[in-house]
Amino acid sequence: MVKKISLLALLCLTILSANAQMSTLRGFVYNKETGEPIVSAQVTFTSIKQGAYTDDRGLFSIVNIPPGKYTAIATLVGYDSSVAQIELRENEVLAQNFYLNIASNTLGTVQVSGERLRKSKEINISKTTIKPKQLTKFPSVGGEPDLVQYLQVLPGVVFSGDQGGQLYIRGGSPVMNRVMLDGLTIYNPFHSIGLFSVFDSDILKSVDVYSAGFNAEYGGRISAIVDVKTRDGNKNELAGKVNASPFSSKLLLEGPLKKYQQDKGSSSFILSYKNSYLNRTSPTLYSYAADGNLPYSFSDLYGKISVNSSKGSNISFYGFDFTDDVAFEQSAAYRWKSSGLGTKFLLIPGGSQTIIDGSVTYSGYEITQTELDQKPRRSSIDGFNVNLNFSRFLGESDRLKYGIEMNGFSTDFEIFNSLNRKISQKENTSEVSAFVNYLKNFNKRFLLETGLRLQRYASLSETSLEPRVGMKYNINTRWRLKGSAGMYSQNLMSAVSDRDVVNLFYGFLSGPADLPSTFLGEPVTSKLQKARHAVFGVEFDINASSEVNVEGYIKQFTQITNINRDKIFDDVKQNEERPEYLKGNYVVENGEAYGFDVTYRYETKKLYVWTVYSFNIVNRFDGIRQYQPHFDRRHNMNVVTSYDFGKNSQWSSSIRWNFGSGFPFTLTQGFYEQLDFSGGASTDFLSENGDLGINYAEINQGRLPYYHRLDASATRKFEWKNKKEKVRKAELIFSITNVYNRENIFYFDRVNYRRENQLPILPSISASYSF
């Protein structure tokens, strides 16, 4: 392990020595009034053709500049330019910040020019970046805009419904997706009522979704990454927002601890609390929905303190506490709780071309589900993560990034399979990883990103070497080709019952060591879950307002660990002659997911259109049978339209229509009396009453009905000034969930033969006030 990490370090030093630089101009671009970093601003010179764009931290770096005197200028559509006179000496790293004022005479054009130019300098294969403003383009169902409503319409994403919803990304189950909040691992980002996530949209800074082929910076998962970042609190004055609807309410407070002043340090706080009370309002307001029984409640608490230096270095401390509770009458009930805390920092060493960032975090999650059979499903996981990253700009688009990561977690799990055999696990595990990622721009047309990740799983005594590669070729300013490929591994698995028509419970286990000794006649030499990705895509800018993106992908899951659905014997000495597949807790599987996505976006000052069609096939093979997992949705389509109108665009309206083919499920063939013969040979099977047993058909041979739903909302904005000339804002949001009252299945109780549907038509009104 030490030798391999040393090899990565040597590779980094070789790249650095091969890219000796002259002088560097580095700094941040801020909003002059608020002190917030500005993304996608361009910093250039008047006398030479060199420049750079700011990233999501407002950071830019221009390297290989000849020594001399220059006029540097920072620009962005919608802002007045800022100019600075600088003088660079040989091998100097000069820090220069820019502060931009919002332009008083904006033309009202869509501010996408910076993003369009950046496309040719970034690969962005299977990556979608979400900004808070984009969330307002979607129907605000049940209250305010929410990240979950945007995630559902991304290419390749399948969402299992508005009750008990889970996120499946290009053939990967939720446990194969790593969701992070400021570096904290979030094990369940969605509430049982799928209209809401745990994230407050008003505190989001950006969200990056990598649906396949992600680079070496990310690891520990074999399908996808969702990286959520929050903003800092208001640096000038105490501010906040209050919101209420029949579904939920929210309180947001933020303000300075040390007020922002230009070229000086500052600190701030932000605190958000959301609470749902639908279980109490539904009997009165929605009595027609499930007989007025919508038993959902949740609460989300998030807090953050940020400290910023005048030179751009910063540190933040944050924590969260999320809970969710649902209990259906004469059916299942479950509850989960998630909490965590952490710190994150960015260090800009003076005179050094290297930028350092890192985090230290801890998070945990616990879920319990109880069925009528009184056999609980229970799972908990908690763990820590420490990472340290180093970044260096080597050219206009050339970048080198490398780092190390350590994490450990413990799991406690218990479940009964479909044959009433108990499966449980308590485990502690630790991982250490290192990565290097290098992006090179050849002649401003061809971009090549190569990376290598070294993942050491200490508890399994295994090391995984994972090469990654990405590319983009700019045919011209409108056409671009792109692709990526890589190898991935993880030591975390989930356990759900493949027999459930709709799954509510999602448990977590660390990769077990007691796997079968062989699979498909070959020895099982690894305990890890592994996958290989390949993606190819085409980008086309139709004009300044519209674009098309087409991507095809394949994910080969070369090894997956799953709960043994065929277990009928305990793995004890008296059963040692039994076949392994009838007594082991776990089985080895393989599989694949492949398909394509077509995305069309049209955006002007007032009109926004987003359309996505996804075709996807997911297969699994467990050594006995080939089957499709319960999230195998072949066809999925989303259409979103938003339009602003009225004086100063005070009104806005939006609709979203979702269509999806039916999920697979396991059919019920019949019922029988099940005796466990706990009394051995003396069991009186003629008079003893057994439990109700279920005779299942082959796994997932049935298909649920097609899913489709239309949501709509209209928003009215109000803005005025109080006596102190402070701007105050308010909003009224009118929304309708499931406009034409489609009956989409949510849950089916096999024993009582009782069907629970997804949400019926639900009108709502939400009011908010910002100060």
Side-chain angles (χ1 to χ4, degrees):
M1 178 66 179
V2 174
K3 291 182 179 180
K4 293 179 179 178
I5 292 180
S6 300
L7 180 62
L8 286 177
L10 180 61
L11 178 61
C12 297
L13 292 174
T14 302
I15 294 174
L16 292 176
S17 62
N19 287 274
Q21 303 173 358
M22 290 179 281
S23 299
T24 299
L25 177 65
R26 185 179 66 199
F28 292 81
V29 179
Y30 297 107
N31 183 308
K32 188 173 184 178
E33 180 181 354
T34 66
E36 289 299 309
I38 295 178
V39 181
S40 299
Q42 186 180 25
V43 180
T44 56
F45 301 102
T46 57
S47 56
I48 57 175
K49 293 183 178 181
Q50 285 185 255
Y53 289 96
T54 58
D55 61 15
D56 60 351
R57 300 168 294 192
L59 173 68
F60 71 91
S61 183
I62 308 174
V63 301
N64 294 331
I65 308 172
K69 295 182 179 180
Y70 299 94
T71 299
I73 180 170
T75 59
L76 180 65
V77 175
Y79 290 84
D80 293 329
S81 301
S82 178
V83 178
Q85 304 296 326
I86 63 170
E87 182 176 358
L88 290 169
R89 299 179 178 86
E90 187 176 353
N91 295 322
E92 180 184 14
V93 179
L94 179 65
Q96 175 67 54
N97 294 337
F98 293 88
Y99 300 86
L100 305 185
N101 282 313
I102 297 177
S104 58
N105 58 341
T106 57
L107 300 176
T109 56
V110 179
Q111 298 180 19
V112 297
S113 57
E115 290 297 326
R116 287 288 171 89
L117 291 174
R118 288 184 63 176
K119 286 181 181 179
S120 63
K121 301 178 184 296
E122 296 181 351
I123 294 178
N124 285 345
I125 182 73
S126 296
K127 177 186 176 183
T128 303
T129 298
I130 305 169
K131 300 297 183 181
K133 188 176 180 180
Q134 294 172 264
L135 301 182
T136 63
K137 303 295 184 181
F138 287 68
S140 303
V141 177
E144 291 193 306
D146 195 283
L147 177 61
V148 67
Q149 294 153 21
Y150 198 105
L151 292 176
Q152 294 175 28
V153 304
L154 295 183
V157 171
V158 171
F159 200 72
S160 57
D162 48 39
Q163 299 186 75
Q166 292 284 351
L167 198 67
Y168 303 89
I169 302 179
R170 285 184 170 174
S173 61
V175 76
M176 299 176 182
N177 308 323
R178 186 177 184 183
V179 181
M180 297 178 292
L181 174 61
D182 291 327
L184 280 161
T185 299
I186 306 296
Y187 295 101
N188 193 346
F190 308 113
H191 287 294
S192 53
I193 181 168
L195 303 176
F196 302 98
S197 69
V198 299
F199 310 111
D200 182 353
S201 60
D202 283 315
I203 68 173
L204 296 183
K205 179 181 180 181
S206 66
V207 181
D208 291 321
V209 181
Y210 302 85
S211 58
F214 44 91
N215 64 31
E217 182 179 350
Y218 297 99
R221 297 295 189 274
I222 61 174
S223 183
I225 301 292
V226 180
D227 192 359
V228 180
K229 301 181 181 70
T230 62
R231 63 178 178 85
D232 294 344
N234 193 307
K235 301 175 183 178
N236 292 303
E237 61 182 357
L238 182 66
K241 183 176 183 179
V242 180
N243 173 270
S245 76
F247 288 71
S248 62
S249 60
K250 183 183 78 173
L251 174 64
L252 172 67
L253 289 175
E254 57 181 314
L257 299 174
K258 180 182 178 182
K259 284 192 174 183
Y260 157 76
Q261 296 182 43
Q262 188 171 318
D263 291 324
K264 293 185 178 181
S266 64
S267 59
S268 62
F269 77 92
I270 191 166
L271 183 67
S272 169
Y273 177 73
K274 297 190 298 178
N275 177 56
S276 172
Y277 36 73
L278 185 60
N279 58 333
R280 296 190 291 272
T281 59
S282 59
T284 302
L285 299 178
Y286 305 114
S287 58
Y288 58 89
D291 297 324
N293 181 30
L294 296 175
Y296 303 101
S297 63
F298 65 79
S299 65
D300 298 326
L301 176 66
Y302 179 86
K304 180 180 180 180
I305 295 176
S306 305
V307 181
N308 301 274
S309 74
S310 59
K311 299 299 184 180
S313 298
N314 60 69
I315 187 170
S316 59
F317 306 89
Y318 43 87
F320 69 85
D321 186 83
F322 308 140
T323 62
D324 189 281
D325 203 343
V326 58
F328 291 98
E329 292 182 358
Q330 299 180 349
S331 188
Y334 73 108
R335 173 182 175 82
W336 61 256
K337 177 181 176 64
S338 182
S339 57
L341 51 88
T343 181
K344 183 168 65 173
F345 65 88
L346 173 67
L347 181 61
I348 312 291
S352 172
Q353 296 178 347
T354 301
I355 299 168
I356 304 171
D357 69 88
S359 64
V360 179
T361 65
Y362 169 86
S363 60
Y365 171 77
E366 182 176 5
I367 182 172
T368 302
Q369 179 175 333
T370 304
E371 298 278 358
L372 291 179
D373 58 13
Q374 298 302 309
K375 293 179 179 177
R377 303 175 184 179
R378 177 179 54 83
S379 176
S380 66
I381 180 171
D382 60 273
F384 70 90
N385 178 279
V386 180
N387 70 79
L388 187 64
N389 303 313
F390 304 86
S391 303
R392 188 162 181 172
F393 293 84
L394 304 176
E396 183 177 354
S397 300
D398 301 352
R399 292 190 297 273
L400 173 69
K401 188 170 185 177
Y402 53 97
I404 58 174
E405 180 179 0
M406 296 177 290
N407 64 76
F409 56 88
S410 62
T411 56
D412 186 359
F413 176 83
E414 181 181 61
I415 192 175
F416 289 82
N417 71 1
S418 59
L419 298 172
N420 289 325
R421 308 308 298 179
K422 180 179 177 180
I423 298 173
S424 62
Q425 181 204 69
K426 287 186 178 181
E427 192 68 66
N428 296 304
T429 188
S430 59
E431 303 172 8
V432 181
S433 60
F435 78 92
V436 58
N437 210 62
Y438 179 52
L439 175 64
K440 176 66 176 176
N441 190 336
F442 297 90
N443 300 321
K444 298 184 178 182
R445 279 187 175 269
F446 182 66
L447 281 77
L448 179 65
E449 183 178 47
T450 55
L452 185 65
R453 188 174 185 92
L454 187 66
Q455 197 92 13
R456 173 64 177 176
Y457 298 92
S459 60
L460 299 178
S461 300
E462 284 195 49
T463 301
S464 177
L465 193 62
E466 302 168 7
R468 318 273 176 88
V469 63
M471 56 77 64
K472 173 175 280 188
Y473 181 72
N474 298 292
I475 300 175
N476 51 43
T477 58
R478 299 174 67 186
W479 286 93
R480 294 171 292 275
L481 303 177
K482 55 186 179 179
S484 69
M487 300 176 65
Y488 307 87
S489 66
Q490 74 177 65
N491 180 31
L492 187 66
M493 61 172 287
S494 68
V496 298
S497 173
D498 294 310
R499 307 295 188 181
D500 288 343
V501 176
V502 174
N503 286 286
L504 296 175
F505 177 83
Y506 221 90
F508 293 91
L509 303 86
S510 60
D514 55 334
L515 292 181
S517 56
T518 62
F519 178 65
L520 299 180
E522 299 292 333
V524 176
T525 59
S526 173
K527 309 301 182 183
L528 299 173
Q529 299 188 81
K530 297 182 179 182
R532 296 192 292 256
H533 296 186
V535 191
F536 179 78
V538 180
E539 297 175 358
F540 175 55
D541 296 335
I542 300 174
N543 52 43
S545 302
S546 57
E547 62 186 18
V548 173
N549 183 72
V550 181
E551 289 185 359
Y553 64 90
I554 181 170
K555 294 180 180 179
Q556 291 183 329
F557 299 104
T558 55
Q559 182 167 317
I560 303 173
T561 306
N562 205 346
I563 291 291
N564 185 5
R565 64 181 63 86
D566 296 312
K567 178 179 178 178
I568 58 176
F569 300 108
D570 293 328
D571 191 4
V572 293
K573 186 174 182 179
Q574 55 264 40
N575 292 326
E576 62 184 358
E577 299 299 324
R578 304 286 185 180
E580 192 173 34
Y581 76 93
L582 294 179
K583 62 182 181 180
N585 286 332
Y586 310 100
V587 295
V588 173
E589 300 183 347
N590 62 21
E592 61 183 1
Y594 57 93
F596 65 89
D597 306 302
V598 181
T599 305
Y600 170 76
R601 188 183 74 162
Y602 176 83
E603 186 174 5
T604 63
K605 180 182 177 182
K606 292 182 177 293
L607 180 62
Y608 178 87
V609 178
W610 173 273
T611 302
V612 179
Y613 170 75
S614 298
F615 176 79
N616 182 59
I617 294 178
V618 187
N619 293 315
R620 295 280 192 271
F621 182 70
D622 62 6
I624 298 176
R625 62 184 72 82
Q626 179 170 305
Y627 69 98
Q628 285 72 48
H630 62 270
F631 51 86
D632 175 41
R633 171 165 280 173
R634 298 297 171 87
H635 305 279
N636 194 42
M637 184 174 184
N638 281 280
V639 179
V640 178
T641 302
S642 175
Y643 183 69
D644 299 335
F645 59 98
K647 183 179 180 181
N648 298 322
S649 296
Q650 294 174 329
W651 284 92
S652 64
S653 61
S654 57
I655 60 171
R656 177 216 172 185
W657 184 69
N658 175 217
F659 171 86
S661 55
F663 290 122
F665 75 102
T666 302
L667 297 164
T668 303
Q669 289 188 323
F671 300 91
Y672 63 95
E673 184 179 11
Q674 185 179 50
L675 298 174
D676 59 9
F677 287 89
S678 57
S682 62
T683 301
D684 187 358
F685 60 87
L686 295 177
S687 60
E688 184 173 319
N689 293 321
D691 296 326
L692 181 65
I694 303 175
N695 187 20
Y696 296 101
E698 284 298 314
I699 182 172
N700 289 345
Q701 295 298 304
R703 286 277 173 174
L704 295 176
Y706 275 45
Y707 174 96
H708 52 89
R709 195 181 80 186
L710 176 68
D711 300 330
S713 70
T715 303
R716 175 64 163 92
K717 305 180 183 69
F718 304 88
E719 186 173 314
W720 70 95
K721 292 183 178 180
N722 62 11
K723 294 180 180 179
K724 296 182 180 180
E725 294 298 308
K726 298 288 186 180
V727 176
R728 298 292 181 257
K729 298 179 181 180
E731 281 187 352
L732 284 177
I733 301 177
F734 308 89
S735 66
I736 302 178
T737 304
N738 198 357
V739 173
Y740 52 80
N741 203 27
R742 164 72 177 179
E743 292 186 349
N744 295 302
I745 189 171
F746 163 51
Y747 179 78
F748 195 87
D749 183 347
R750 297 177 186 268
V751 175
N752 295 299
Y753 207 75
R754 179 175 177 175
R755 167 175 168 162
E756 300 280 355
N757 285 325
Q758 302 276 10
L759 296 177
I761 181 171
L762 293 179
S764 175
I765 182 171
S766 170
S768 66
Y769 169 70
S770 302
F771 58 91

